[in-house]
Amino acid sequence: MAGIKFDSVRRVFGKTVASNDVSLEIKDGEFMVLLGPSGCGKTTLLRCLAGLERVDGGRIYIGDRDVTDLAPRDRKLAMVFQSYAVFPHLTVFDNIAFGLKMQGRPKDEIKRRVQEGAELLQLQDYLARYPAQLSGGQRQRVAVARGIVMQAQVLLMDEPLSNLDALLRLQMRAELKRLHAEIKATTIYVTHDQVEALSLGDRIAVMKSGRIVQCDVPMNIYDDPASVFVGGFIGTPPMNFLKGVVSAEGAPQVVVGESRIAPTPAQTPALAARRGQPILLGIRPENLAFASSAQRNTLRGHVVVVEPLGSHKLLTMQVSGETIKVSVPPDQSVASGNDVWLHFDADKIRWMDAGSGDTIH
Amino acid sequence: MRSKVESALPYGLLAPTLLVVVLLIVVPIFQAFLLAFQGSDGGFTLAQFQKMVHDTAFLDALKFTFLLLIFIVPLQIILALAMALLIHKRFRGHSIFLYIYAIPLAISDLAAGIAWLSIFTERGYLNSILHSLGIIDKPFLFLSYQNLPAVFGTIVIAESWRATAIVMVILLAGLEVIPRDYFEAADVFGATALKRTLFVVLPLLRPSLQNALIIRTIFAFQTFSVVLALAGRVIPVLTGEAYYWYAANRNPNVAAAYAVLVMVFTIFITIMYFRLLKTTDAEAGYD
Amino acid sequence: MKTRRLSMALLAFAMIASLVLSACQAPAPTPAPAAAAKAAEPTNAPQPTVAPASASSSQSLIFLASQLGPVEEQEKMRNVILKDFTGAEVDFIADANENVILDRILAESKTGKVNGSVVGALHGAFPNLIAANALEDLTPLLEKLKDRPIVKEFLTLGKMGTDKQYYIPWMQATYIMVVNKKALQYLPQGANVDALTYQQLGEWGKNIATATGEKKLGFPAGPTGLMHRLTQGYLYPSYTGGLVTTYRSDDAVKMWTDFKAIWQYANPQSTTYNNMQDPLLSGDVWVALDHTARVVNAFKNQPDDFIAVPAPAGPKGRYYMSVIAGLGIMKGAPNKAGAEALIDYLTQPAQQAATVREVNFYPILDSGLPTDLPPYVKTESDGVLKQARSADAHVALLPVGLGKKGGDFNKIMQDTFTRIVLKDEDIKKVLDDQATQLNALLTELKTPCWSPDPVSTGACQAK
Amino acid sequence: MESSLAISRGAKRAPIAWRHVRDQVGLYGAAILLALWTLAPIYLIALSAFSTKAGVSAWPKSLLPTNFSTDTMQFFINSKGVLQSVGNSVVVALLTIAASLLLGAPGGYALARFRFKGKQTIQLSFLISKMFPTAILSVPLAVTFLQLGLYDTVWGVALIHTAMALPFVILLTAGIFVGVPRDLEEAAQTLGCTRMQAFVRVVLPLALPALAAAAIFTFVISWNEVFAATIITLQHRTLPAQVLSSLNDSPLYYRFAGGFFMIVPALIFIFLIRKYLLNMWGSVVR
């Protein structure tokens, strides 16, 4: 009923293409995260949807309404700003009630809905206060409450947690998830924090240079990145990439340094087509483990730095002249300067084209 | 020892300015106060003020000074706000318009008076335009003493023209420091342009409005060149009377009395602005 | 970075330039417009009676004048009238605001740092200067100038009621009526434009208004206009035969009643007119009364459109005001010899003729007007002469002996006008109020009556 | 891979967005209307200044330069005292800039950087000092100046103008210095600069463009000031004083020439500082 559709949306600032013919469909009630590094165009896309930014091409639909040429106020949506944009001259109550007042709702309805919204975000005690008297986290709640009481079909959030400290961010993240479950509005959430994206999104659209490079459910994005860019952007630490060459003869194998790595049967045909060509091997740090000796699918590595992080140890290692990160159990005994064998399962490997960076299937 | 030097530093830096301002502004103001309260024998007297109050033009001057303030200031705020909001949109070519709107900032009231006289006089440009459009066949007398509302109107227009620029610049500068998010939030939450201006822009602009109002009021009380050019003394204003008593009547005492009155009114109105437009402590975040 | 450097450089330049420029404040050379130079006809080389000391010929001399303030007149004075003077390098300083000049003279004399040498001012300004002991006695100089046919009455005025000669008459002016020829067809039946009465002026205005729908009489009632002089020198004496003594007389009530009737047909913009030449030229006004110097551009720019006629007459005759300007020498003048030479020069017939020709102030010599006047001056001077030679003509003088309080006196006149004519207050009541103020002022000053009021022993008082 | 992702390569051009067109027309319409309102009097006085004498008193007047003539303008510029007064105005204004910035900028810096007792009082008293009509203020000043021997000198006028401009210069420079991040200055100090060196090497270069703009604003204040200049000068008149004194009783066409002559610099000054207008006043707001 209120899905959203971007149809070849284009937005250009001078020479920068902030939104390069982006098409994307979001289902009714879905929580869609736009993820990407700063400058990738995710906020522009959101602002185009909100009507704060004019589009240079393409159409935008909310439900079956074409909203491309509508003023923001006619698009019937709510938004949480990165800076919160909580009006400093209005009390918390008036801030939350702002949108309702603009719609000219009756007084008692406004009061009721503001109360509800305030309860949902535990702001009941602060309704008479001014924003300057609130903490950052409380202001953020006001911004969310202001959006929610609109009961709009579409809720937009532009990096709403980026100005909070780490602990608060963690709390609010869970709370937003709970809220979405409760209100079920179609939500578009812009962030550059991949943890937020993975935790909150029903689906994640990863953006780069004005394009969506991958759009999928979080686990697929994590496990099966569509490119070096996605793999390298998602995960802490991100996916490791090693340069290799597909063997020219025999069963297709990939030569990485002194090691030879055999693909899974499913991967074999794709590799067979690239005999003699360079290729990238992608593997997540947690999918590497110490092995006692050289065996199938092992790499020789030199430990450079050991960082005990409590839940695990993070190692910085040199493998065939490249630096990678490896995550090992906390009780693994290892010291910098050690030379070790690293083992991995072939089905955890993702192969990428060395030129384009795209994943090979 | 060092901290002592540190804490004395700001005073040291301000000292030259304070010295000049005290010697050349504060002391003369004090002298003018003395003049206003001094009789011909040099003793204290209120005679100058009595003379001022009983002067034929006094009540009119009082009335018109405040009427002009009441008419001009809101008109200027509206015009300046319109200009500032337009420029704030940063449309292509906005800097040219900013330049144009700001020009009157540097135009003296002497020159402005001459320019507007050429427009409003009997056979001036406005009547020429109206005539060539066929709206009138005889010149309309905008500056007739028998039609004070018309004369008053011309003054309001000319003064608004001249002094809108400073208000515009102050308001625009104020707009620039307000994060755009606030305006966008208002848009997203359904405010029309008018509602956004009334409920979001104006309240957030309060500090700038306060500054603009104070500066404008100070200047509005002191301008009379334009009034003199367009209305002669048919529409007297307080500072104009002060000048007239000094320059034409050769009576610095009564002139000083008028000046004192102007200063008192200005201070009074400024305090009023501070009261009216004060951000509450809660709003500013002090509990 | 570039702009920063640039602005730094600009700022530095500004500071240095300002220091340099202020250090060498040489008087800027005067550009002599070709037109003005041509206008100066070759006259007989002046033969100064007072030989200037040879040393002083290159010496500079400051001539402070409260007359000839308008920029065109200042230019004529510098480039034409003073051009042939060899006695000193004259720096002519005039200001349209008389007070600026008077303040300067008084201030110089008070602090003892006298820079000015020659003072040119109206008769009414001199008591002020004499009271401040700022002026030399010019009796010795007059002795040397006794061959000049200076009008005797003017010389007497220059003594300011003492036995010393404080000023030598310099030039005179008056107020006349200027008429656009288009107005002549509406003259009231039987009226002679050269011998109008105030009543006829009112009827004339009415006729014009009926015919054209516009009020085309005009008076200089703007902030710096000379309306109060018309009250003092024309209306009051013509109706009452006096000014102060008759201030609230029945004749005065009659005068104000008549003048209110005339004013009905005056352009309502009159309250913004500081001089009448602009509204005359634009056509806003067809008939106007003003100072000769403030209407002359009408004749000059549109010579065929205007004529000059005598001011109207009232029941007591055709009073007109003669404005006399005199030349004095400051006590402690740095260039006294040059000053005397300059006064000599300016009172010579050639310069007197140049003065009327160039700046429209009339000679103070008995010998009458020169014949070689340019047409526009001729037009105006015809009116002036007609006015002076009218059978019923009488001369009124500017107020005398009011000193610093001249402004207060004028204000009483102006307030009377404002209250009666503009605010429509009761005439009798206003005259009583204002006469009380007038009496208080004159009592404080102990000023005796002056012409046309009869000579009094004590302070002049309204009856 | 199952996903709703679909990147279409051929860019679809949006059809003409009428709302956008309407907004743009409204925007430019309003902007141009307001610009006309601002420019009309300037155009008309220029028209008058460059008309023949007859053109000035013509009826009805033409709105196009059909009576173009530079006669009155030439006469005005060539008449004695005008060029000299322009020179005086420039000298006075430059002296005023130099003095008011040298005196005022340190004060503005103090207001911007320090918290100290009496700060608000001082700021307020600057404001109050502007509330007394300048025209009357000049009267006692003239007497004082006479005693000091500053009467009728450009120095005297510059001194008065400095005093008049200082309250503004303090406010403007305070705003400018607030805009220079304190961190930079502190960084310089940690790197071995004295406070003075930090100011001269870091703060001043950063503040200079805005200071230059403030200087031009000061220039405008001085250029337009008329009463003090009229009262304390006679031979060394500034341009406005010259216009006020010698043109007041002159015929209209000279007044137009004078009026226009005074407006021209305004056009130039504002053009020079247009970029910094907001910097200067923006910080006054805070």
Side-chain angles (χ1 to χ4, degrees):
Chain A
M1 153 192 131
I4 294 161
K5 192 169 131 199
F6 294 91
D7 182 5
S8 301
V9 169
R10 187 176 183 81
R11 179 70 178 126
V12 183
F13 296 107
K15 282 180 183 161
T16 322
V17 182
S19 182
N20 195 347
D21 295 339
V22 173
S23 292
L24 176 65
E25 269 185 58
I26 299 153
K27 293 192 273 288
D28 182 26
E30 192 176 17
F31 196 118
M32 170 67 80
V33 176
L34 298 180
L35 176 67
S38 58
C40 72
K42 55 192 192 298
T43 297
T44 303
L45 200 61
L46 188 80
R47 289 166 58 82
C48 284
L49 173 58
L52 298 172
E53 207 73 69
R54 201 162 52 81
V55 298
D56 294 314
R59 313 299 297 171
I60 300 174
Y61 303 88
I62 297 178
D64 37 19
R65 284 191 304 152
D66 180 347
V67 298
T68 320
D69 294 327
L70 294 183
R73 66 169 180 281
D74 298 325
R75 301 191 180 200
K76 302 212 167 52
L77 37 78
M79 183 162 170
V80 179
F81 287 77
Q82 180 175 14
S83 66
Y84 315 144
V86 170
F87 300 122
H89 62 288
L90 299 179
T91 60
V92 170
F93 181 95
D94 289 331
N95 260 292
I96 299 177
F98 185 85
L100 300 172
K101 279 185 182 164
M102 290 301 120
Q103 288 179 352
R105 302 272 171 181
K107 270 216 170 107
D108 47 338
E109 185 195 335
I110 293 179
K111 201 165 175 203
R112 182 172 50 76
R113 277 164 69 171
V114 170
Q115 284 293 346
E116 285 170 12
E119 262 167 53
L120 221 46
L121 286 147
Q122 290 122 49
L123 286 166
Q124 305 97 307
D125 299 341
Y126 307 106
L127 286 176
R129 294 212 187 169
Y130 282 95
Q133 296 167 296
L134 301 178
S135 71
Q138 287 165 331
R139 258 178 266 176
Q140 205 270 347
R141 284 161 188 278
V142 176
V144 174
R146 183 174 64 181
I148 283 174
V149 295
M150 297 296 287
Q151 298 177 356
Q153 297 162 331
V154 175
L155 179 61
L156 309 181
M157 297 200 202
D158 185 6
E159 311 216 16
L161 304 183
S162 64
N163 288 337
L164 298 180
D165 61 49
L167 199 63
L168 223 57
R169 204 180 303 180
L170 214 62
Q171 271 179 15
M172 270 318 284
R173 206 165 71 197
E175 210 157 335
L176 288 181
K177 193 147 186 166
R178 171 181 68 84
L179 274 172
H180 180 249
E182 234 168 287
I183 61 172
K184 296 189 182 67
T186 312
T187 304
I188 302 190
Y189 186 104
V190 165
T191 183
H192 63 269
D193 180 332
Q194 35 99 16
V195 181
E196 269 174 36
L198 292 171
S199 101
L200 287 169
D202 290 333
R203 281 196 298 157
I204 298 172
V206 184
M207 292 188 69
K208 184 195 177 192
S209 314
R211 293 174 190 276
I212 294 178
V213 291
Q214 186 173 13
C215 180
D216 209 333
V217 297
M219 275 331 283
N220 283 352
I221 299 259
Y222 187 83
D223 270 347
D224 203 1
S227 65
V228 171
F229 170 76
V230 178
F233 188 72
I234 299 207
T236 34
M239 193 174 248
N240 297 306
F241 296 98
L242 293 169
K243 286 187 195 117
V245 179
V246 184
S247 60
E249 290 151 24
Q253 284 189 322
V254 177
V255 181
V256 177
E258 301 150 15
S259 307
R260 290 177 158 266
I261 292 153
T264 61
Q267 294 166 346
T268 308
L271 290 190
R274 298 173 180 253
R275 281 185 189 281
Q277 291 178 8
I279 196 164
L280 287 177
L281 175 156
I283 179 105
R284 293 225 171 252
E286 65 270 27
N287 292 335
L288 289 161
F290 282 10
S292 51
S293 59
Q295 31 178 293
R296 261 175 69 91
N297 295 348
T298 50
L299 294 165
R300 184 76 179 155
H302 177 77
V303 180
V304 182
V305 180
V306 178
E307 297 172 74
L309 294 176
S311 62
H312 61 283
K313 277 182 181 162
L314 184 64
L315 313 179
T316 306
M317 300 183 75
Q318 288 281 326
V319 171
S320 71
E322 292 176 74
T323 305
I324 65 164
K325 298 280 186 188
V326 177
S327 174
V328 294
D331 50 358
Q332 176 85 49
S333 68
V334 59
S336 61
N338 291 5
D339 284 313
V340 298
W341 291 102
L342 290 170
H343 169 77
F344 47 85
D345 291 336
D347 63 348
K348 294 291 183 194
I349 294 176
R350 301 292 174 261
W351 299 105
M352 280 87 173
D353 184 280
S356 69
D358 288 343
T359 302
I360 298 163
H361 292 287
Chain B
M1 189 58 209
R2 189 173 151 68
S3 75
K4 245 188 190 168
V5 175
E6 275 291 279
S7 64
L9 188 57
Y11 301 103
L13 292 173
L14 277 164
T17 303
L18 285 174
L19 191 72
V20 172
V21 172
V22 165
L23 281 182
L24 290 177
I25 308 270
V26 179
V27 169
I29 288 180
F30 187 69
Q31 287 172 327
F33 265 79
L34 278 184
L35 275 180
F37 290 101
Q38 220 168 40
S40 44
D41 55 346
F44 174 85
T45 174
L46 287 174
Q48 316 299 351
F49 285 92
Q50 281 165 355
K51 201 163 179 180
M52 169 182 84
V53 171
H54 290 124
D55 183 34
T56 332
F58 176 74
L59 285 179
D60 275 348
L62 202 62
K63 182 177 84 182
F64 283 121
T65 303
F66 279 92
L67 272 179
L68 281 174
L69 207 63
I70 289 168
F71 275 86
I72 292 175
V73 171
L75 192 67
Q76 276 178 342
I77 299 281
I78 292 169
L79 264 177
L81 197 65
M83 289 175 180
L85 286 173
L86 273 175
I87 301 291
H88 191 60
K89 288 201 185 262
R90 305 246 147 206
F91 55 92
R92 189 187 293 263
H94 70 272
S95 58
I96 300 169
F97 285 97
L98 172 60
Y99 164 57
I100 292 174
Y101 297 161
I103 288 174
L105 193 66
I107 292 181
S108 69
D109 44 4
L110 201 61
I114 297 175
W116 282 99
L117 183 65
S118 78
I119 293 173
F120 283 125
T121 189
E122 183 170 345
R123 280 167 172 75
Y125 286 106
L126 184 55
N127 272 328
S128 291
I129 295 171
L130 293 177
H131 181 84
S132 58
L133 290 177
I135 296 171
I136 53 169
D137 51 340
K138 281 204 185 309
F140 180 79
L141 294 178
F142 294 100
L143 303 180
S144 158
Y145 80 98
Q146 290 165 330
N147 192 354
L148 284 187
V151 186
F152 186 81
T154 62
I155 296 172
V156 169
I157 289 173
E159 266 296 287
S160 301
W161 176 82
R162 197 183 62 81
T164 296
I166 181 96
V167 183
M168 187 272 297
V169 170
I170 293 174
L171 291 188
L172 184 54
L175 276 178
E176 297 286 321
V177 295
I178 301 174
R180 274 169 196 263
D181 285 5
Y182 290 125
F183 306 147
E184 295 182 343
D187 278 345
V188 168
F189 285 100
T192 56
L194 181 68
K195 278 183 178 169
R196 183 183 64 186
T197 309
L198 287 181
F199 299 132
V200 178
V201 177
L202 283 179
L204 289 175
L205 259 183
R206 232 166 3 181
S208 318
L209 278 172
Q210 184 179 299
N211 279 311
L213 281 172
I214 291 171
I215 288 181
R216 259 320 293 154
T217 306
I218 292 176
F219 288 157
F221 265 115
Q222 297 187 18
T223 39
F224 65 93
S225 297
V226 171
V227 181
L228 213 59
L230 291 174
R233 288 184 60 241
V234 169
I235 289 189
V237 288
L238 290 174
T239 305
E241 288 305 298
Y243 183 70
Y244 178 74
W245 272 94
Y246 169 70
N249 294 352
R250 315 292 293 146
N251 192 328
N253 301 78
V254 179
Y258 266 105
V260 167
L261 189 71
V262 166
M263 188 171 185
V264 169
F265 277 138
T266 316
I267 292 177
F268 178 76
I269 290 183
T270 306
I271 291 172
M272 218 174 66
Y273 286 146
F274 273 123
R275 286 264 164 89
L276 282 177
L277 292 166
K278 205 174 144 194
T279 42
T280 59
D281 281 352
E283 216 176 319
Y286 314 117
D287 282 308
Chain C
M1 205 55 208
K2 238 184 182 172
T3 48
R4 218 169 281 152
R5 287 253 175 80
L6 188 68
S7 36
M8 178 122 65
L10 273 176
L11 207 64
F13 170 77
M15 288 176 186
I16 296 164
S18 64
L19 290 174
V20 172
L21 279 171
S22 62
C24 45
Q25 266 287 296
T30 317
K38 219 185 286 169
E41 292 164 33
T43 46
N44 302 334
Q47 299 285 321
T49 318
V50 184
S54 55
S56 73
S57 61
S58 59
Q59 215 181 324
S60 72
L61 176 155
I62 293 178
F63 178 6
L64 294 160
S66 71
Q67 296 299 292
L68 309 180
V71 62
E72 277 181 308
E73 295 177 13
Q74 289 192 32
E75 284 300 278
K76 293 290 190 198
M77 192 67 186
R78 295 191 185 100
N79 298 326
V80 183
I81 299 170
L82 290 171
K83 188 171 153 274
D84 294 326
F85 179 61
T86 52
E89 193 73 34
V90 179
D91 195 350
F92 178 68
I93 301 171
D95 197 293
N97 184 352
E98 174 179 49
N99 297 320
V100 174
I101 299 293
L102 295 185
D103 278 354
R104 161 80 176 255
I105 297 169
L106 291 174
E108 283 189 2
S109 138
K110 199 167 160 190
T111 54
K113 295 173 191 156
V114 178
N115 291 317
S117 291
V118 176
V119 174
L122 291 179
H123 170 78
F126 277 89
N128 215 354
L129 302 177
I130 293 164
N133 198 20
L135 296 176
E136 293 276 0
D137 176 8
L138 300 182
T139 314
L141 174 64
L142 183 65
E143 199 54 35
K144 298 176 194 166
L145 300 177
K146 62 180 180 233
D147 56 325
R148 300 281 149 81
I150 298 175
V151 176
K152 286 281 167 310
E153 287 84 348
F154 293 166
L155 281 174
T156 312
L157 282 173
K159 289 190 192 306
M160 305 305 297
T162 65
D163 52 358
K164 292 178 181 165
Q165 190 74 34
Y166 281 106
Y167 70 75
I168 306 288
W170 173 20
M171 55 190 195
Q172 59 166 326
T174 186
Y175 296 67
I176 51 159
M177 201 148 83
V178 184
V179 176
N180 190 317
K181 285 177 187 166
K182 287 183 211 160
L184 291 175
Q185 52 182 311
Y186 304 113
L187 265 177
Q189 205 87 58
N192 172 6
V193 75
D194 288 334
L196 284 175
T197 65
Y198 282 101
Q199 225 154 6
Q200 286 170 330
L201 179 64
E203 284 168 41
W204 194 6
K206 187 180 176 183
N207 291 350
I208 299 173
T210 320
T212 66
E214 288 180 49
K215 300 171 175 181
K216 291 203 174 277
L217 303 185
F219 298 92
T224 59
L226 296 172
M227 186 64 214
H228 52 282
R229 295 288 183 227
L230 295 179
T231 321
Q232 292 162 5
Y234 288 75
L235 288 161
Y236 254 105
S238 295
Y239 271 83
T240 69
L243 172 58
V244 176
T245 52
T246 55
Y247 202 75
R248 54 179 154 194
S249 62
D250 291 342
D251 287 341
V253 175
K254 164 85 172 122
M255 180 275 279
W256 285 112
T257 315
D258 279 10
F259 186 63
K260 263 178 88 168
I262 297 170
W263 184 265
Q264 280 183 9
Y265 304 105
N267 189 319
Q269 289 190 108
S270 289
T271 46
T272 65
Y273 295 153
N274 294 327
N275 64 58
M276 293 313 299
Q277 59 200 4
D278 291 327
L280 281 167
L281 280 169
S282 70
D284 291 3
V285 164
W286 280 357
V287 181
L289 248 175
D290 204 355
H291 191 287
T292 43
R294 293 178 177 215
V295 289
V296 65
N297 277 290
F299 300 114
K300 197 170 169 185
N301 293 353
Q302 293 171 23
D304 300 333
D305 293 358
F306 300 102
I307 56 168
V309 299
K316 297 269 160 40
R318 191 177 310 275
Y319 273 87
Y320 69 95
M321 187 176 258
S322 182
V323 182
I324 292 163
L327 296 164
I329 295 180
M330 287 188 72
K331 265 208 175 119
N335 188 354
K336 194 170 176 233
E340 292 189 344
L342 181 63
I343 293 178
D344 173 13
Y345 174 76
L346 285 172
T347 49
Q348 286 167 16
Q351 274 57 249
Q352 288 282 309
T355 303
V356 61
R357 203 167 50 230
E358 304 295 340
V359 294
N360 286 83
F361 275 85
Y362 290 85
I364 39 75
L365 302 179
D366 251 343
S367 44
L369 285 173
T371 48
D372 60 338
L373 293 175
Y376 69 91
V377 181
K378 182 88 170 56
T379 314
E380 189 185 81
S381 62
D382 282 350
V384 173
L385 288 179
K386 270 188 223 160
Q387 177 165 284
R389 290 170 187 165
S390 295
D392 50 355
H394 303 279
V395 179
L397 283 184
L398 284 175
V400 180
L402 296 173
K404 270 177 90 171
K405 299 282 182 173
D408 285 303
F409 185 80
N410 290 343
K411 181 168 168 51
I412 292 171
M413 299 286 143
Q414 216 120 39
D415 283 352
T416 311
F417 165 78
T418 305
R419 290 178 63 183
I420 293 177
V421 178
L422 301 183
K423 296 189 158 183
D424 213 15
E425 290 182 39
D426 180 66
I427 296 177
K428 188 71 198 146
K429 183 179 174 304
V430 173
L431 289 181
D432 278 339
D433 280 2
Q434 300 299 113
T436 313
Q437 288 187 35
L438 201 56
N439 285 348
L441 177 74
L442 293 169
T443 306
E444 185 191 333
L445 294 171
K446 302 190 184 67
T447 310
C449 292
W450 64 90
S451 158
D453 284 314
V455 179
S456 69
T457 42
C460 200
Q461 296 285 296
K463 284 174 193 136
Chain D
M1 192 168 85
E2 262 299 309
S3 130
S4 55
L5 172 68
I7 298 171
S8 91
R9 293 287 166 192
K12 268 186 216 164
R13 285 278 116 202
I16 299 167
W18 286 110
R19 180 175 75 92
H20 178 65
V21 172
R22 193 193 65 205
D23 285 359
Q24 291 290 302
V25 169
L27 190 69
Y28 280 96
I32 290 171
L33 209 68
L34 286 169
L36 285 179
W37 149 255
T38 310
L39 292 177
I42 298 170
Y43 170 72
L44 293 176
I45 197 172
L47 198 63
S48 304
F50 290 101
S51 277
T52 55
K53 289 175 185 177
V56 167
S57 50
W59 165 259
K61 288 182 176 46
S62 164
L63 290 182
L64 298 169
T66 45
N67 288 310
F68 186 84
S69 153
T70 55
D71 287 357
T72 39
M73 204 66 199
Q74 273 174 348
F75 184 89
F76 172 77
I77 290 172
N78 287 332
S79 62
K80 161 149 181 168
V82 168
L83 282 182
Q84 194 201 349
S85 72
V86 172
N88 285 334
S89 270
V90 171
V91 173
V92 166
L94 291 179
L95 284 172
T96 305
I97 289 175
S100 61
L101 277 186
L102 284 179
L103 293 171
Y109 179 76
L111 288 180
R113 279 288 190 269
F114 298 93
R115 300 189 80 162
F116 53 92
K117 235 188 193 166
K119 181 169 163 179
Q120 281 210 308
T121 319
I122 291 175
Q123 274 173 306
L124 207 63
S125 54
F126 283 135
L127 197 63
I128 291 176
S129 76
K130 299 305 296 176
M131 294 185 181
F132 199 84
T134 319
I136 306 307
L137 202 57
S138 317
V139 181
L141 274 177
V143 178
T144 315
F145 272 45
L146 209 63
Q147 288 158 351
L148 294 174
L150 285 168
Y151 185 82
D152 203 8
T153 60
V154 284
W155 294 98
V157 185
L159 192 57
I160 290 197
H161 286 183
T162 302
M164 288 176 175
L166 266 177
F168 282 116
V169 170
I170 285 260
L171 287 177
L172 293 178
T173 51
I176 291 163
F177 287 128
V178 164
V180 177
R182 198 186 194 131
D183 296 0
L184 295 176
E185 199 179 344
E186 284 170 350
Q189 277 176 284
T190 62
L191 294 171
C193 284
T194 62
R195 184 153 220 149
M196 186 67 194
Q197 284 170 324
F199 177 79
V200 172
R201 296 187 177 204
V202 178
V203 182
L204 208 55
L206 286 171
L208 215 55
L211 285 180
I216 293 179
F217 194 77
T218 312
F219 199 111
V220 170
I221 293 179
S222 167
W223 181 266
N224 285 337
E225 199 288 323
V226 58
F227 297 113
T230 311
I231 288 179
I232 71 158
T233 61
L234 197 49
Q235 277 163 291
H236 299 104
R237 281 273 152 89
T238 60
L239 181 65
Q242 182 73 19
V243 170
L244 186 72
S245 69
S246 76
L247 284 190
N248 234 3
D249 286 339
S250 298
L252 211 49
Y253 36 87
Y254 291 127
R255 301 224 296 277
F256 287 140
F260 179 72
F261 200 75
M262 285 174 66
I263 285 179
V264 175
L267 303 177
I268 299 166
F269 294 147
I270 295 293
F271 184 78
L272 290 177
I273 60 171
R274 70 195 183 287
K275 278 190 191 157
Y276 302 104
L277 278 172
L278 299 186
N279 293 18
M280 282 193 299
W281 288 98
S283 15
V284 173
V285 165
R286 262 169 283 172

